[in-house]
Amino acid sequence: MQPESLANAPTSSAADTPLTNAADAPFSNAANAPTTPADEIESRLNCELQQRIGAANYRNWFQQKVRLTIRDDELTVGVGSPFLLNWMQKQFRGNLVGAAQAVLGPSAVVRFEVSAEPLADSAESAAARTTTLSADPVSPATIESPQGRGASREKQRPARGRRFADFSDFVVGGCNEMAFLAASHVCESPGTLYNPLFIHGGVGLGKTHLLEGIYRKIRRDFPALKTLYFTSESFTNYFMTGLRDHTLPSFRQRFRSVDVLLVDDIGFLDSKPATQQEFLHTLEHLLGRNRQVVVTADRHPRLLTGLCEELSTRFVSGLVCRIEPADLETRMKIVEHKAARTNAVLTKQALQFVASRFQNNVRELEGGLNCLANFHSMTGKPVRRADARRILADLERDCIQAVRIPDVEKAVCNLFGVDPDDLRSAKRQRSLSQPRMLAMYLSRKLVRAAYTEIGSHFGGRNHSTVISAEKKVNGWLEEDRSITVAARSWPLHEVIATLKQQLRVS
Ligand code: ADP
Ligand code: MG
């Protein structure tokens, strides 16, 4: 849990900048000149990298796909999924270190991380930054990040060139149809029916894409409406800044004067009671005036156990839609759609191969497709099924995620809000025994650990206890039983699906 204090205020990143109607201006070459030392360094780094790895590699792997963040002499490379991280490390670590050292000095270090945030604020959009800001309700020019003043090379002025995903690029299938229809309705008549609209689902399933699509469509169809898009992380940053600088009234005025509020990844407010209260008041203010609010998260509001009761109640008072992992048919449609936007020559069988292999999330699917497109652009040859199989062998291996028993334990404890020591203890009250059985069941299912190993991890229990826990959970699932999470009854299969999704990503 993160203590909520100014000292611990999260880092503001350019991609998190609240973006309003003014934010999505078309890229313009005239605006490309770096305007601050931080921009200049970033721009030099991108040039250096491009020179080292070549334009095709740069386009396929970095542009609009990877977030590069510079802080002092550390370069952080944020990628969209664990296997991409692995791949990027293998392919580009040397060049990244070289580029960082050339620009930041010999002590430069490179760090890789998986970033669940949208990666749209890429090197390219960094180059497309401009300084002009207009009628933003929350203008990045007037609100600094909490650590903005002291930061040396860190980006101090947020980006404006972010390219938002489009509704028309969102492929609809059974897995996301309800969320898509609800989002379409919101775009047609904001603030009338599904309000708030809460969209949840695992990482890489298209929540941010849909939210950005809403942003663009409303902006286009209702230019007079003030539409504000931001992540809950940036809300937290701005709130902290407001507290620190005694500018809360103007902060509130700005956030509460919008017509459409789009908030990505509300889970970031987990265990931040003061920010939650502030957000709750913003929400009530807007909903009370029939202003449209759309929120995304990685799980159902009732399963966001670090959120206050009032907030989750507010969220469920509107429409809650879940996005499921895509089925094969939808994955194929997505792959075809995305492949059509590249110049690569890929056979249908090669695309089918990608769609059948990458099942966890769409980001992985994109990663697979990028590999094939990259192969094509380097060799000029059409990519057939056999090529795809060979090229993707590495990636596939990396996709098999090594979930360990402690990962399961952590996810279960997080969700149920219980202490790991209690989970392993001899205590038998239901609030502990149920999560414990679930943890054992998932350790079997996802880790495929031996009964004895599981038993010994969870408090030195013997293997028959684990077998009986597994049987019990299977029985509950057959009976479609519910389980108590955060003092509420919840369908067990939903709880398990949520845990599985989280473990796949962790
Ligand atoms: P999330 O916010 O749920 O973690 P994103 O919205 O960032 O996921 O999606 C990850 C990537 O997958 C993005 O590039 C997005 O465009 C793509 N994507 C996800 N779902 C779809 C879809 N249904 N159609 C087309 N692209 C999709
Ligand atoms: Mg997202």
Side-chain angles (χ1 to χ4, degrees), residues 405 444 449-458 460-464 466-467:
I405 298 178
R444 238 349 244 177
Y451 290 120
T452 45
E453 191 190 344
I454 300 173
S456 112
H457 181 92
F458 291 104
R461 292 172 158 81
N462 77 31
H463 76 285
S464 60
V466 184
I467 294 176

Side-chain angles (χ1 to χ4, degrees), residues 29-275:
N29 289 337
N32 279 357
T35 47
T36 69
D39 281 348
E40 201 176 301
I41 289 168
E42 196 174 313
S43 166
R44 274 175 48 208
L45 181 84
N46 282 304
C47 290
E48 184 72 36
L49 185 61
Q50 217 176 119
Q51 272 173 11
R52 284 167 187 258
I53 64 175
N57 266 329
Y58 182 80
R59 203 174 44 247
N60 283 334
W61 294 101
F62 287 86
Q63 198 166 296
Q64 304 258 318
K65 293 170 184 98
V66 165
R67 178 183 297 152
L68 299 177
T69 315
I70 300 165
R71 184 184 291 198
D72 296 324
D73 60 358
E74 182 179 273
L75 168 67
T76 303
V77 184
V79 300
S81 79
F83 83 82
L84 269 182
L85 184 144
N86 210 320
W87 170 264
M88 300 291 286
Q89 277 182 327
K90 272 189 211 157
Q91 301 296 316
F92 301 118
R93 175 179 273 288
N95 284 318
L96 278 160
V97 170
Q101 287 178 344
V103 175
L104 304 175
S107 61
V109 286
V110 175
R111 207 167 62 81
F112 286 79
E113 69 176 21
V114 176
S115 162
E117 288 299 307
L119 299 171
D121 185 40
S122 65
E124 183 194 54
S125 53
R129 273 172 201 173
T130 72
T131 46
T132 40
L133 293 155
S134 53
D136 301 8
V138 178
S139 159
T142 54
I143 301 182
E144 284 181 338
S145 72
Q147 52 285 91
R149 282 180 186 160
S152 54
R153 286 175 180 167
E154 192 178 356
K155 284 181 268 179
Q156 293 180 20
R157 192 178 36 74
R160 178 175 174 264
R162 175 169 168 175
R163 177 126 188 99
F164 277 58
D166 202 288
F167 230 64
S168 60
D169 283 332
F170 191 82
V171 176
V172 187
C175 54
N176 55 29
E177 192 173 17
M178 186 173 159
F180 179 79
L181 290 176
S184 307
H185 186 279
V186 161
C187 292
E188 273 155 32
S189 50
T192 54
L193 192 53
Y194 305 127
N195 205 14
L197 171 61
F198 191 99
I199 300 171
H200 69 104
V203 168
L205 297 187
K207 304 178 297 294
T208 299
H209 186 136
L210 214 44
L211 200 66
E212 291 185 356
I214 296 175
Y215 171 75
R216 278 185 76 161
K217 197 157 162 46
I218 294 185
R219 269 197 49 211
R220 196 183 57 217
D221 298 347
F222 299 93
L225 294 184
K226 262 190 194 171
T227 304
L228 180 59
Y229 174 105
F230 62 98
T231 66
S232 60
E233 181 177 355
S234 42
F235 184 84
T236 308
N237 284 341
Y238 292 119
F239 175 57
M240 292 297 183
T241 308
L243 273 178
R244 185 196 66 194
D245 296 349
H246 309 290
T247 53
L248 279 184
S250 65
F251 162 88
R252 289 186 176 130
Q253 200 274 326
R254 284 169 175 143
F255 273 91
R256 293 178 192 184
S257 65
V258 302
D259 299 300
V260 180
L261 188 71
L262 308 170
V263 189
D264 202 14
D265 194 14
I266 199 71
F268 187 82
L269 297 192
D270 196 278
S271 308
K272 296 185 177 62
T275 316

Side-chain angles (χ1 to χ4, degrees), residues 390-447:
R390 192 166 35 79
I391 298 163
L392 298 179
D394 254 8
L395 277 183
E396 280 186 73
R397 249 197 316 277
D398 296 339
C399 265
I400 301 165
Q401 307 234 341
V403 177
R404 298 163 316 129
I405 298 178
D407 301 327
V408 173
E409 179 183 72
K410 192 168 158 208
V412 169
C413 287
N414 247 337
L415 189 67
F416 284 84
V418 301
D419 193 275
D421 287 340
D422 284 335
L423 203 73
R424 295 180 197 179
S425 72
K427 294 180 192 163
R428 301 172 72 123
Q429 62 259 44
R430 193 191 277 194
S431 60
L432 292 173
S433 66
Q434 283 190 334
R436 187 182 296 131
M437 283 192 262
L438 212 52
M440 291 179 176
Y441 166 89
L442 287 172
S443 299
R444 238 349 244 177
K445 205 131 192 112
L446 303 180
V447 186

Side-chain angles (χ1 to χ4, degrees), residues 223-502:
L225 294 184
K226 262 190 194 171
T227 304
L228 180 59
Y229 174 105
F230 62 98
T231 66
S232 60
E233 181 177 355
S234 42
F235 184 84
T236 308
N237 284 341
Y238 292 119
F239 175 57
M240 292 297 183
T241 308
L243 273 178
R244 185 196 66 194
D245 296 349
H246 309 290
T247 53
L248 279 184
S250 65
F251 162 88
R252 289 186 176 130
Q253 200 274 326
R254 284 169 175 143
F255 273 91
R256 293 178 192 184
S257 65
V258 302
D259 299 300
V260 180
L261 188 71
L262 308 170
V263 189
D264 202 14
D265 194 14
I266 199 71
F268 187 82
L269 297 192
D270 196 278
S271 308
K272 296 185 177 62
T275 316
Q276 285 181 27
Q277 278 307 310
E278 185 62 37
F279 186 72
L280 178 66
H281 294 314
T282 307
L283 200 62
E284 285 181 336
H285 182 94
L286 295 176
L287 294 176
R289 286 160 183 75
N290 293 330
R291 308 286 199 259
Q292 179 70 51
V293 177
V294 185
V295 174
T296 72
D298 67 350
R299 55 192 110 147
H300 191 284
R302 291 289 184 210
L303 292 175
L304 287 165
T305 45
L307 280 196
C308 66
E309 169 74 21
E310 294 102 311
L311 258 185
S312 42
T313 302
R314 258 312 193 175
F315 291 144
V316 295
S317 71
L319 180 70
V320 177
C321 296
R322 179 186 174 111
I323 302 187
E324 306 276 351
D327 49 76
L328 179 62
E329 192 189 337
T330 313
R331 292 203 302 276
M332 190 60 199
K333 277 202 273 178
I334 293 174
V335 170
E336 283 176 338
H337 182 85
K338 297 207 181 267
R341 295 178 168 250
T342 71
N343 294 327
V345 183
L346 311 162
T347 65
K348 182 149 182 140
Q349 286 76 11
L351 296 183
Q352 272 165 349
F353 183 81
V354 176
S356 66
R357 284 300 190 272
F358 296 96
Q359 304 173 358
N360 288 346
N361 69 48
V362 182
R363 243 179 237 155
E364 291 182 354
L365 214 58
E366 286 179 341
L369 202 59
N370 279 340
C371 281
L372 303 193
N374 198 29
F375 177 85
H376 173 77
S377 80
M378 288 192 294
T379 63
K381 290 186 196 155
V383 183
R384 304 178 196 285
R385 186 187 172 86
D387 304 316
R389 185 186 288 278
R390 192 166 35 79
I391 298 163
L392 298 179
D394 254 8
L395 277 183
E396 280 186 73
R397 249 197 316 277
D398 296 339
C399 265
I400 301 165
Q401 307 234 341
V403 177
R404 298 163 316 129
I405 298 178
D407 301 327
V408 173
E409 179 183 72
K410 192 168 158 208
V412 169
C413 287
N414 247 337
L415 189 67
F416 284 84
V418 301
D419 193 275
D421 287 340
D422 284 335
L423 203 73
R424 295 180 197 179
S425 72
K427 294 180 192 163
R428 301 172 72 123
Q429 62 259 44
R430 193 191 277 194
S431 60
L432 292 173
S433 66
Q434 283 190 334
R436 187 182 296 131
M437 283 192 262
L438 212 52
M440 291 179 176
Y441 166 89
L442 287 172
S443 299
R444 238 349 244 177
K445 205 131 192 112
L446 303 180
V447 186
R448 304 201 185 281
Y451 290 120
T452 45
E453 191 190 344
I454 300 173
S456 112
H457 181 92
F458 291 104
R461 292 172 158 81
N462 77 31
H463 76 285
S464 60
T465 311
V466 184
I467 294 176
S468 106
E470 190 185 22
K471 270 197 190 138
K472 249 205 177 111
V473 175
N474 276 325
W476 292 340
L477 281 171
E478 270 167 33
E479 293 164 18
D480 203 11
R481 285 265 291 269
S482 292
I483 186 167
T484 306
V485 183
R488 263 170 204 283
S489 176
W490 203 260
L492 180 62
H493 64 88
E494 284 253 342
V495 174
I496 289 181
T498 302
L499 284 166
K500 276 186 180 168
Q501 266 173 8
Q502 268 157 28

